[in-house]
Amino acid sequence: MTAAIDPATDRGALLRLEGLKVAYPGQRGRDATVAVDGLSVTVPAGRAVAIVGESGSGKSTTLHALLGLTPRTADVSFERLEFQDGTTGGLRRIDDPRALRGRSVGLVPQDPVRSLDPLMRIGAQFAELHRHFLGLTGREESRARTVAALESVGVDRPGLRLGQYPHELSGGQRQRILIALALVGEPRLLLADEPTSNLDTTVQRRVLDLFDEVRAARGLSVLLVTHDIAVAGERADHLVVMRAGRVVESGPTRDILDAPKDPYTRQLLTSLPSRLPARPVFRAASPPRVVLASHGLTKSFGGGKGQERIDAVRDVSLTLHRGQTVAVVGESGAGKSTLLRLLTGLDRPDAGTVLLDGEETRPGRRARTAFARRVQLVYQNPARSLNPSFPVGRAIAEPLEAHRVGGAKSRAERVRDLLEQVELPAELAARRPSQLSGGQLQRVAIARALALDPDVIVLDEPVSALDQAVQFALLKLLGDLQERLQVAYLLVSHDLGVVRAVADEVIVMHRGRVEEQAATRSVFEAPTSPHTRALLDAVPALQLPTPLVHLAPLAPFSTSDGKKQP
Amino acid sequence: MTATTVPPTRSRSRTSVPGLSLTVLGLVGAAALLPGVLAPRDPYAQDVSERLRPPSAEHLFGTDELGRDLFSRVIHGTQASLSIALLALAFAFGLSVLIGLTAGYFGGTADRVLMGGVDVLLALPSLLISLLIVSGLGTGPLNLAVAVGVASVPTLARVTRAEVLRVSAQTFVEAANGYGLARHRVLGRHVLPHARGPITALGALELATMVLSVSALSFLGYGTQPPDPEWGNLIAAGRDYFATSWWLTTLPGAVLAGVVLALHRVGRALGASEAGLV
Amino acid sequence: MTRTPHPVRDRVVPTKRPAASRSTAVYALRRCGYFAAVVFSVYTLSFFLLYALPSDPVALMLERRSAGAGGGTAAQVEALRAQYGLDQPLLVRYVETLLQLLGGNPGTSFQSGRPVPEILAAVAPNTLALAGGALAIAIPLSVALALVTSWRRDSVLHRVLVNVPALIAAVPAFWLGLLLLQLFSFTLGWVPSAGGTGLSGLVLPAVALALPVSASLTAVLVRSLDDVQQAAFVGLLRARGLPWSRVYLAHVARNALLPFVTLAGLTVGGVLVGTVITETVFARAGLGRLLASSVETQDAPVILAIAVLAAVLFAAVNLAVDLLYPVLDPRTRHRGRGARA
């Protein structure tokens, strides 16, 4: 992937958009919101361009504006929109972006699960487009074309798929079908809106490979929108970095990765998990202090009468030492969440035991309460794990109250102390969750988990709902806290970059079983199980020159909101 | 990390409580509490020389077949109509919140039994339930309130249960259980305050339905008996003369429709703004 | 988030859909069991409401029959009690009445002494014609109104029309009937005010009955249409360049109208019970008016028969919907063919 455009393959620009502005008019005295402010982008023929930005940067709005899909209340204007003319090869002016839909530009959506009409068989979804784009009414011909199209995007048993409904297919299959559907109108440009963010890493990789294949085979251009600079760096020839509606930097990928000019881009690159300070090799204390352990945990869920029971977790044993971080990884459905619920006592296992300080945990509410004091849970989505109507100070104090620790005054003091520990100003205690950013909320959740001085904190995808820079700061905080408090972490994550950066030991799960269990380094450098290898191959590799000079300070950018875009 | 404000999000189309509706309800409430003050005349005073007069400055709503002032009768009827509906609402609310909470929070057998019963009642139109109860208990205002109240229980109980379940499934409730907060505290602090809003909004909408049902049943003759005025029986009484005296049915009906519409709007506004919180 | 005052919300997202694992036969059997349970419960509920509560039907009956002439003697009362089986213990009567009903014999009316089936049969055709007419108006009307309202989600037309159902729902049904009579019979003279035969006499009551029902149906439909328009697949279909009319009618409307089917039971129920008001207002003979007058006279056998009949009808419609739904919505169909790879 070279940055310089090779003159032999270059057929000029396919799409040129200049000065795009999208604003939402203010309602009831509010100011108008400018979502995109003066964006320009050029997609060369046959190339891939990526728009990179965090949530709220306006990257998705740009993409919607390009097809005239913004809500009618939005104020959309652009100085110039041009698209290559099919016959002359020159650029042709487009006045209404809706004219580009389907035949010139194909859209591949973010969410494969909700992007197909649930009541229509796959065959009918294609037939509809065949009628519309090609005027094709014959059933047989439509069938034949559909089978060929499905084959070309790597859907297995295409003949069978024709008669199936979307809900009968897996996420990866649906995403492939959506790509095939986008290609029916024979567009010259594919727009991909975070096409893989709802898929497992291994599937993600295969879908992105498919994009590359399709692009090469059909000579298409791709405009990729993503929050993940690693994905963008790996797949695109040109990058456009957006922040708060504006382009902060754009140019050939290599140039940007090697020498980012804008401080924000630099920060994106320096806040990758791999940039976290290296962890010292974990050495168990002697005698070893195991705080949490499990033996042969098994839990299955029944599918009703006469239905096979499905083992969600099967025979899982693990040990967690004081001050250690153990990460559990695996694709969705591998049993991570069930394991987590068993280890935190939210569910009881069918077989096996959970040991706290070497003692078996007993059922019953009293034992459960005692257990809760020592093992705390931090959830994936901080906005949902905090009661929206409580000031965050009260939320932090509630575990203390539940266990009758201290009086009102000492609790207030403890809350101040905890806020300081998670590096939040004390005056935040009076705010409500809606007034805080995603990163701040997750810090509050961590403070609440720390309130009772637990030995173990179970972290359930603690940073996956947050923007990259916020993620980085939070992971750093978690590391600092562990060093200071010697608390043990059990981390559940699908993000192997995060796992590699923070875990001492990794447990790879697959269909409820432990596939591999070893020190982080050996899992990443010498995986023994083929399944682990598949997981690792899927991580986008980003070659960066090290070290980057002039590291930007983190503070000015950590204000962005961590909420997902609607 | 410094404190930040939330970036301006696009405002959702949030309905504010409409002023006109509140004014209407305020007036009606005043009429129900102080009919003697607001009514210009005695609702029972007959004047044969003034019978069946169309609306005029003297008689805003005209007069009935006995020469009674219709406007005064409508104002005095407010009390009967509203108090029956409110009684029905209180009855329905108490019963259904109890059922819904028990079923939603404790689940298990209690849930199955209670919801089984509710489902059976839900399978029947509410007017039929009311009619069955009236025929069992006999007619009269109090029985009417019970009949109308019971008819609303299935809907309200279902919604209460659904809300309790919805809130209980939220992560912050699970988190509170997780760090060992006592069960009744979780219910009182985290679940109920968030389930309350939608239930209240539905309550306002149910009250509108109840006002309609009460007047419909009174219209059929099961409620307040003449000569005591009530909206439904006023309209029923006007039927005998309505080929010639349109005001006898039209005007009380318009008042009734206005009140129901106002309750509807307030309920919707409550529903919209409360739902924005959770 | 808006809510209708009807149990509609709970119906839109049906709770009792087949689990993917159960076979169709088991599902169908369960639904039939539910049907029987509803009818049986309604019978039980009605029976105890009608017979176990304090008011004395015999006394009322005698009072009415003798038209205020002082009631009957103690002997007369006892004879009548025996005649109607009222002297037996409640539970015995409960079982006996149930067996009689199952055998197709709902007894005789307290009021007129005629067999109940005869009384019902005399007026049922009137009610069926009225209810049928109302449904024939209500369903197309609400579908059309909803489709027009929701065509453009953020248009002025949408903002105006979306209030129409709430407006109609606020109007008392009996008052609406009177208004229609006032306008079309007395002022305009287009249709007869009462006792009209054939179609001309049916139009006005059918409209009066249909309007409130259409109001709640339209409100649910509009919300459903608006929701579906937000779905990701709708935006994607537009992005592919399909014309809006195609997207709206073939995809949005189809997905939105599906929950509509589950409202069928409620709609039929609403129309049937609405006849109580409509038939009274328009002075038409029918089941509704019969029920209204029987409630007044506490004519228990008639009320019981009508209640059970109504329960059978509503439950049957719901049963049909439940059995039909998997055919319409592939997501609720049982797996078994085709593999998830």
Side-chain angles (χ1 to χ4, degrees), chain B residues 85-229:
Chain B
L86 281 172
L87 201 63
L89 185 70
F91 183 77
F93 235 87
L95 204 59
S96 43
V97 167
L98 196 70
I99 294 175
L101 265 187
T102 314
Y105 196 67
F106 295 100
T109 315
D111 186 21
R112 273 195 298 278
V113 170
L114 289 172
M115 284 304 119
V118 162
D119 273 351
V120 168
L121 284 180
L122 210 52
L124 293 174
S126 52
L127 185 61
L128 185 66
I129 300 177
S130 299
L131 284 175
L132 278 174
I133 295 173
V134 167
S135 53
L137 296 178
T139 56
L142 203 64
N143 293 342
L144 206 58
V146 174
V148 170
V150 170
S152 282
V153 167
T155 318
L156 272 170
R158 265 239 165 259
V159 171
T160 308
R161 173 180 174 273
E163 280 303 314
V164 169
L165 282 182
R166 183 184 63 79
V167 180
S168 299
Q170 308 246 345
T171 319
F172 65 83
V173 177
E174 195 189 291
N177 279 319
Y179 52 67
L181 193 69
R183 231 172 140 78
H184 65 275
R185 289 246 169 95
V186 176
L187 185 64
R189 255 189 222 176
H190 295 286
V191 178
L192 279 186
H194 288 98
R196 201 177 49 202
I199 300 172
T200 316
L202 186 72
L205 295 182
E206 276 303 294
L207 184 61
T209 315
M210 285 171 173
V211 170
L212 275 182
S213 308
V214 167
S215 59
L217 290 170
S218 294
F219 173 81
L220 292 173
Y222 305 141
T224 313
Q225 299 299 319
D228 292 335

Side-chain angles (χ1 to χ4, degrees), chain A residues 516-550:
Chain A
E516 185 161 355
Q517 184 166 10
T520 306
R521 209 191 164 99
S522 72
V523 167
F524 276 87
E525 284 168 13
T528 55
S529 126
H531 185 73
T532 313
R533 263 197 293 280
L535 271 179
L536 291 176
D537 284 344
V539 179
L542 191 58
Q543 267 101 49
L544 291 173
T546 42
L548 277 171
V549 276
H550 308 306

Side-chain angles (χ1 to χ4, degrees), chain A residues 165-470:
Chain A
Y165 287 96
H167 72 276
E168 297 173 298
L169 304 167
S170 72
Q173 284 172 332
R174 278 186 250 192
Q175 192 59 288
R176 283 167 193 274
I177 286 168
L178 285 165
I179 293 172
L181 282 167
L183 293 171
V184 171
E186 295 183 351
R188 315 267 303 287
L189 172 66
L190 272 188
L191 293 187
D193 182 8
E194 302 263 17
T196 58
S197 60
N198 288 329
L199 298 173
D200 277 324
T201 5
T202 46
V203 183
Q204 228 177 64
R205 170 136 214 119
R206 273 180 258 140
V207 169
L208 287 170
D209 286 344
L210 177 63
F211 265 101
D212 286 347
E213 274 164 38
V214 166
R215 179 158 71 98
R218 306 192 179 215
L220 298 180
S221 305
V222 170
L223 181 60
L224 175 73
V225 166
T226 179
H227 67 281
D228 190 341
I229 197 165
V231 166
E234 195 187 33
R235 304 284 170 173
D237 307 306
H238 289 257
L239 294 186
V240 177
V241 182
M242 282 186 80
R243 177 160 192 259
R246 291 172 178 277
V247 175
V248 297
E249 187 164 7
S250 73
T253 305
R254 205 62 262 172
D255 294 358
I256 290 188
L257 294 187
D258 289 346
K261 290 184 191 67
D262 188 85
Y264 177 70
T265 318
R266 232 175 292 156
Q267 192 216 344
L268 275 184
L269 292 169
T270 50
S271 64
L272 289 168
S274 58
R275 298 270 170 186
L276 282 168
R279 286 177 71 83
V281 177
F282 180 78
R283 269 182 245 285
S286 74
R289 282 206 55 192
V290 175
V291 279
L292 189 70
S294 75
H295 283 301
L297 279 186
T298 300
K299 176 88 179 173
S300 54
F301 293 109
K305 280 171 207 151
Q307 184 81 13
E308 237 180 297
R309 286 176 76 82
I310 302 151
D311 283 338
V313 167
R314 187 140 182 207
D315 197 22
V316 175
S317 304
L318 59 87
T319 53
L320 185 59
H321 293 261
R322 187 173 156 80
Q324 188 190 23
T325 300
V326 172
V328 181
V329 301
E331 302 194 341
S332 58
K336 291 176 303 194
S337 330
T338 311
L339 177 64
L340 179 148
R341 292 182 68 84
L342 294 176
L343 285 172
T344 49
L346 287 170
D347 278 339
R348 304 286 309 168
D350 296 338
T353 51
V354 176
L355 303 156
L356 184 66
D357 281 337
E359 272 178 52
E360 203 174 308
T361 51
R362 286 181 305 277
R365 183 137 187 112
R366 187 176 290 260
R368 167 91 194 78
T369 309
F371 183 80
R373 258 194 101 142
R374 312 280 311 278
V375 181
Q376 291 279 318
L377 186 62
V378 172
Y379 292 87
Q380 173 173 15
N381 189 329
R384 285 199 204 129
S385 73
L386 295 166
N387 189 334
S389 56
F390 277 19
V392 298
R394 194 172 164 202
I396 296 172
E398 207 179 46
L400 297 170
E401 219 178 305
H403 292 267
R404 301 204 171 77
V405 178
K409 209 176 148 211
S410 72
R411 280 181 207 150
E413 224 161 84
R414 178 79 177 130
V415 168
R416 261 199 305 282
D417 170 51
L418 285 164
L419 283 172
E420 197 184 318
Q421 294 225 24
V422 297
E423 294 160 25
L424 288 178
E427 62 265 24
L428 241 57
R431 305 256 185 103
R432 274 168 215 286
S434 61
Q435 296 168 298
L436 269 60
S437 71
Q440 288 173 324
L441 288 174
Q442 195 60 298
R443 281 163 190 263
V444 169
I446 292 169
R448 180 174 66 179
L450 288 173
L452 290 166
D453 267 328
D455 300 301
V456 179
I457 295 185
V458 177
L459 301 161
D460 183 9
E461 302 271 8
V463 294
S464 68
L466 305 173
D467 281 329
Q468 193 185 307
V470 184

